[in-house]
Amino acid sequence: MATGVNGASAYLLLNIGRREESPALEANYRHIFTDVMTSIGGVVRLLLAPVTGWLIFDLILAILIALNFLWEGWRIIRAPVDGLMDVSLSDHDVQVGSSAIEANFGSALEYHNPTVL
């Protein structure tokens, strides 16, 4: 039952986080959803290995759960790290910004080319 409640909470956090553009809520979604997947994986491990007699299921699912931890952990820290690092804008964003500056200020304002470091 707790897994179901956590799954519903994670779903709500994801939707609200995306709607509000909140990295904190999306990170919390990933954290809770990882707990949900771990619980489901643990139950599947406990059921499949003894029922099938294939003990390899336990190992495979444990590895998949660990890989899921690593993947979701990376996704949680990637956005804040990108915000701290010097990441360039997309070509489209550079063009939009340059056009806005040129349209509003013309030759009264100088700026350097943001694509050249």
Side-chain angles (χ1 to χ4, degrees):
M1 176 144 163
T3 300
V5 171
N6 280 342
S9 297
Y11 180 76
L12 287 172
L13 284 170
L14 176 63
N15 287 332
I16 294 169
R18 285 184 177 167
R19 184 182 71 224
E20 300 297 324
E21 297 180 5
S22 171
L25 290 178
E26 288 190 38
N28 204 17
Y29 149 76
R30 295 200 185 289
H31 170 231
I32 293 174
F33 192 69
T34 299
D35 289 345
V36 170
M37 294 307 294
T38 302
S39 297
I40 291 171
V43 170
V44 170
R45 286 173 52 206
L46 289 174
L47 294 176
L48 279 183
V51 169
T52 63
W54 296 357
L55 299 180
I56 194 77
F57 277 129
D58 184 44
L59 175 64
I60 291 170
L61 287 172
I63 290 171
L64 290 174
I65 290 169
L67 290 174
N68 184 52
F69 276 153
L70 293 172
W71 175 250
E72 291 301 332
W74 169 248
R75 291 179 72 180
I76 288 171
I77 66 168
R78 185 181 64 197
V81 168
D82 284 348
L84 295 172
M85 302 303 287
D86 189 19
V87 179
S88 66
L89 296 172
S90 68
D91 291 338
H92 177 271
D93 289 341
V94 169
Q95 181 61 37
V96 168
S98 298
S99 298
I101 291 170
E102 290 169 2
N104 292 301
F105 295 104
S107 62
L109 180 69
E110 291 184 21
Y111 65 96
H112 73 280
N113 185 347
T115 59
V116 177
L117 296 177

